[in-house]
Amino acid sequence: AQSVTQPDIHITVSEGASLELRCNYSYGATPYLFWYVQSPGQGLQLLLKYFSGDTLVQGIKGFEAEFKRSQSSFNLRKPSVHWSDAAEYFCAVGAPRAAGNKLTFGGGTRVLVKP
Amino acid sequence: AAGVIQSPRHLIKEKRETATLKCYPIPRHDTVYWYQQGPGQDPQFLISFYEKMQSDKGSIPDRFSAQQFSDYHSELNMSSLELGDSALYFCASSFGRNTGELFFGEGSRLTVL
């Protein structure tokens, strides 16, 4: 079974500073990997995804993530954070050839942005 | 582009009542997934359907049932509601079971009083 760990529950960053959110996964093969963002009381918006190929993935809103097989990681980065990036971020892993395509989410990282 | 539609967006029920949530997938999507997100929690997979048949089952309570209809919309029925059922319920859809990407709706917020 797949699992996802997001080691940081909360991260506070100053506006304009860089941001990195950590994600480690456990899965027997190469998984599908996703990052979602959720504003309070809102739905899940897909930031980016990795299926195969280039291990550096570009997403929306200036985010990127890098898949590192050797570290079983898929960390999310943004070079310069905007106040509107304050939200909860979820890393998720999918097992495309296992039962049902379902996603398993990490516990989430809440990002606070200081002015 | 059409997205996943969930209704109602908000629902308030009393303990022991019944609630039904509806999900309309993106047109041509044949697979629907239900997730439950409790306060401060990550989304937990409940159940999924592919071509109107149950595809996978997660941590769905026995008090809950779901089905997918001929037009591919899905309904999640929750009976004997408990306070702990208060959560945001997400529906997601995909075209096929192995495409990898799920498209999520905005969620239905259920509050049980």
Side-chain angles (χ1 to χ4, degrees):
Chain A
Q2 66 263 37
S3 66
V4 182
T5 301
Q6 294 179 244
D8 305 304
I9 297 175
H10 296 278
I11 284 183
T12 299
V13 61
S14 297
E15 193 169 13
S18 63
L19 174 69
E20 181 166 13
L21 304 182
R22 295 183 291 165
C23 171
N24 293 98
Y25 68 89
S26 173
Y27 183 61
T30 300
Y32 288 176
L33 295 161
F34 306 83
W35 275 100
Y36 287 88
V37 61
Q38 184 180 34
S39 297
Q42 301 299 309
L44 296 165
Q45 182 180 22
L46 179 66
L47 286 175
L48 47 76
K49 62 189 181 220
Y50 173 79
F51 288 176
S52 65
D54 192 346
T55 56
L56 185 62
V57 181
Q58 301 298 320
I60 62 171
K61 303 186 177 187
F63 285 92
E64 66 178 24
E66 186 171 13
F67 169 61
K68 292 186 177 180
R69 184 190 304 275
S70 61
Q71 299 176 19
S72 297
S73 69
F74 189 56
N75 294 348
L76 182 71
R77 298 192 292 256
K78 185 168 184 177
S80 178
V81 169
H82 187 262
W83 63 266
S84 61
D85 293 323
E88 182 126 28
Y89 293 78
F90 291 97
C91 181
V93 60
R97 292 169 189 81
N101 209 31
K102 66 178 185 288
L103 298 184
T104 299
F105 288 85
T109 298
R110 182 166 297 279
V111 173
L112 303 175
V113 180
K114 294 190 302 184
Chain B
V4 177
I5 306 297
Q6 292 188 244
S7 68
R9 292 294 310 281
H10 300 273
L11 190 60
I12 299 175
K13 291 286 186 178
E14 303 262 339
K15 282 195 307 183
R16 292 179 289 278
E17 285 191 321
T18 297
T20 297
L21 305 181
K22 296 184 179 182
C23 170
Y24 296 86
I26 291 172
R28 298 198 308 122
H29 281 195
D30 51 13
T31 310
V32 169
Y33 313 77
W34 285 99
Y35 283 81
Q36 178 192 56
Q37 185 182 28
Q41 304 294 312
D42 57 289
Q44 295 290 317
F45 172 72
L46 293 179
I47 195 167
S48 63
F49 293 87
Y50 169 68
E51 282 292 344
K52 294 153 279 184
M53 299 287 289
Q54 182 179 307
S55 176
D56 197 4
K57 194 172 182 180
S59 51
I60 184 169
D62 292 339
R63 300 176 289 106
F64 291 12
S65 65
Q67 58 181 321
Q68 186 179 31
F69 294 85
S70 57
D71 63 350
Y72 295 102
H73 94 273
S74 178
E75 295 184 5
L76 177 66
N77 299 293
M78 300 173 283
S79 62
S80 303
L81 287 170
E82 302 173 356
L83 296 179
D85 296 328
S86 295
L88 191 56
Y89 290 83
F90 286 108
C91 174
S93 73
S94 67
F95 180 65
R97 286 183 298 176
N98 295 311
T99 56
E101 184 170 358
L102 276 59
F103 295 82
F104 283 86
E106 290 290 307
S108 293
R109 181 169 297 282
L110 171 66
T111 301
V112 181
L113 302 175

